[in-house]
Amino acid sequence: MLRKSQICIVLSILFQLLVEINCQIVPLRPNQRSSHTATLINDKLYILGGTLKNGTDIKDFFYFDFSASFNTQNLPWVDLSSTNTIVPRHFGAASAKGGANNNTLIIYGRITSNPKIPSLYTFDTQSNLWSIPAIAEIPGNIPRKESTTGIIDQNGKLYLWGGLNGNTSLNDMYILDTINLIGGVGSLVGVPGPRCNYGAALLPDNKIIYMGGYNDEVKAELPLDQVYIYNTINNSWSTQTASGKVPSSRDGFSVILGLGGQSVIVFGGTATYSLQGLTTDDSIYELNLSNFEWIIPKISNNSQIPNSRMYHKANIIGKYMVISFGDGYDPLVESDILLLDISNKDEYSWTNTFDLVQSTTESNVINNGDIPLVIKLIGVIVGSLTLLTFGGFILYKWNKKIKRKRIIASIPHIMSDC
């Protein structure tokens, strides 16, 4: 009876390991969505919420690990939806990486007009726990608005300019210190006109560049021949007139800082506010920050140019502009993730392969987070076989010990018969 019990214990442990392996192999396939958040923290791109093509708001939560090379045709997402017990269904929220240890996911958004429902949430990426922080306001309360862009500086301050409150476009600046949890406001002197779904990026000199967007009062997208600079150091606004091949007026597009910090790259958007995207010929532009001249960057592999997207998100990861989800593409034809290699400033390239080695040439050290999934699975399998061998050895020794005891116990009986 004891032997069968031990066998059952070993088999149970092996079964749990096999379940773990199976959970890692079976991929999560998220629904296509737009107006979600995408935040890079410690090589993981966290995706939260958004709206489906049928207009349904969602709250699912998952991430993709960029610590290993991969192909966009095979994306092993990791589901964290079970951890989200407090953030309601929503779209149009803003997000950033902040907090005291710079590993906290900050989510801000109007979420709902109900004032009893918070508009600010945090997720601890170490403990996988959501919380609602208590903020000291200077002055007033956290404004309730959506369709804004969160820009965080090196000091952990999150800047939330403009956005939408109901049907009203805004141009106020809300500033949240994510380390000390103190809220405040920015200057309105020289501030641009109200707008939502604009493009923004943090520049190397701690200034934020803003452009385009949509004004809900006039029902129109705003032009990109005027760009606006907010100085986070002295809390001031300035305006720059851009020239060259100026992109068409648009909203719902993305803006990222180029690798050298000398330009910003724009991708996608819409010019009709009716989910009708731009053409591929009007999807990518680059603004030189030294002379504020727009150009259309050269793309080496024109045959691989994807459809333009809108209400997507873009992040710089390694040498790539990583574009996630959005409207304007067929998920059966194109991947939910697009990769634009911007390492060659003279010629960008669309690719399906994220090359970790080339993206991290400054370091040849490989840590545990850099091990590809297949190696991790091999490790689990080897561990399982080791456990099975160890379990078999224990059973063998136990069985041998029992037989020995039986032999010893029979000796006195034999001698008494003699």
Side-chain angles (χ1 to χ4, degrees), residues 12-24:
S12 176
I13 294 174
L14 290 176
F15 176 76
Q16 292 179 21
L17 289 171
L18 290 175
V19 169
E20 179 182 347
I21 294 172
N22 185 62
C23 289
Q24 295 183 58

Side-chain angles (χ1 to χ4, degrees), residues 143-186:
R144 306 186 72 81
K145 55 183 179 179
E146 64 187 51
S147 301
T148 182
T149 299
I151 300 294
I152 196 161
D153 66 10
Q154 292 86 349
N155 298 315
K157 289 187 176 181
L158 177 61
Y159 298 84
L160 296 156
W161 177 72
L164 195 65
N165 187 348
N167 293 323
T168 303
S169 296
L170 307 172
N171 66 344
D172 60 328
M173 174 68 84
Y174 179 70
I175 304 173
L176 173 64
D177 183 335
T178 66
I179 298 175
N180 301 303
L181 298 179
I182 299 175
V185 295

Side-chain angles (χ1 to χ4, degrees), residues 108 137-139 141-143 145 148-153 157-163 170-176 183-189 191-195 198 200-202 206-210 228-233 235-237:
Y108 167 84
E137 300 303 327
I138 306 175
N141 299 315
I142 300 176
K145 55 183 179 179
T148 182
T149 299
I151 300 294
I152 196 161
D153 66 10
K157 289 187 176 181
L158 177 61
Y159 298 84
L160 296 156
W161 177 72
L170 307 172
N171 66 344
D172 60 328
M173 174 68 84
Y174 179 70
I175 304 173
L176 173 64
V185 295
S187 173
L188 294 177
V189 178
V191 66
R195 66 195 65 202
Y198 52 81
L202 180 68
N206 287 315
K207 296 178 181 179
I208 305 174
I209 187 169
Y210 293 95
Y228 308 92
I229 309 294
Y230 176 75
N231 190 324
T232 65
I233 304 299
N235 187 28
S236 64
W237 288 94

Side-chain angles (χ1 to χ4, degrees), residues 41-42 46 61 80 83 98 100-106 121-131:
I41 304 178
N42 297 331
Y46 291 88
F61 182 42
L80 293 175
T83 68
N101 298 314
N102 204 31
N103 58 12
T104 300
L105 172 59
I106 314 293
Y121 301 85
T122 60
F123 177 75
D124 188 325
T125 59
Q126 302 303 304
S127 64
N128 282 356
L129 294 177
W130 283 97
S131 61

Side-chain angles (χ1 to χ4, degrees), residues 149-330:
T149 299
I151 300 294
I152 196 161
D153 66 10
Q154 292 86 349
N155 298 315
K157 289 187 176 181
L158 177 61
Y159 298 84
L160 296 156
W161 177 72
L164 195 65
N165 187 348
N167 293 323
T168 303
S169 296
L170 307 172
N171 66 344
D172 60 328
M173 174 68 84
Y174 179 70
I175 304 173
L176 173 64
D177 183 335
T178 66
I179 298 175
N180 301 303
L181 298 179
I182 299 175
V185 295
S187 173
L188 294 177
V189 178
V191 66
R195 66 195 65 202
C196 62
N197 291 320
Y198 52 81
L202 180 68
L203 305 182
D205 56 0
N206 287 315
K207 296 178 181 179
I208 305 174
I209 187 169
Y210 293 95
M211 61 187 73
Y214 183 83
N215 185 295
D216 202 62
E217 284 70 46
V218 299
K219 305 296 181 186
E221 283 80 15
L222 301 172
L224 281 75
D225 58 350
Q226 298 287 311
V227 297
Y228 308 92
I229 309 294
Y230 176 75
N231 190 324
T232 65
I233 304 299
N234 59 24
N235 187 28
S236 64
W237 288 94
S238 61
T239 303
Q240 292 285 346
T241 299
S243 60
K245 297 183 180 298
V246 180
S248 60
S249 301
R250 63 189 64 196
D251 75 293
F253 59 101
S254 59
V255 178
I256 58 98
L257 182 67
L259 293 183
Q262 301 300 311
S263 65
V264 292
I265 302 170
V266 164
F267 174 73
T270 175
T272 62
Y273 206 63
S274 61
L275 295 186
Q276 179 179 341
L278 303 168
T279 66
T280 55
D281 294 335
D282 198 27
S283 62
I284 297 184
Y285 289 85
E286 186 170 7
L287 178 65
N288 188 320
L289 294 175
S290 62
N291 58 10
F292 289 93
E293 180 181 5
W294 285 104
I295 65 169
I296 299 176
K298 182 179 180 181
I299 307 294
S300 62
N301 50 350
N302 290 329
S303 61
Q304 296 185 29
I305 293 181
N307 289 327
S308 180
R309 299 188 184 186
M310 50 196 161
Y311 307 111
H312 56 280
K313 287 295 182 292
N315 301 78
I316 285 294
I317 306 178
K319 65 175 183 177
Y320 302 95
M321 179 180 185
V322 179
I323 297 160
S324 58
F325 296 96
D327 281 322
Y329 73 100
D330 183 351

Side-chain angles (χ1 to χ4, degrees), residues 377-399:
L377 294 182
I378 291 174
V380 174
I381 294 172
V382 171
S384 301
L385 294 176
T386 302
L387 183 60
L388 179 61
T389 302
F390 178 75
F393 175 75
I394 293 297
L395 290 177
Y396 166 76
K397 294 293 288 184
W398 176 84
N399 188 48

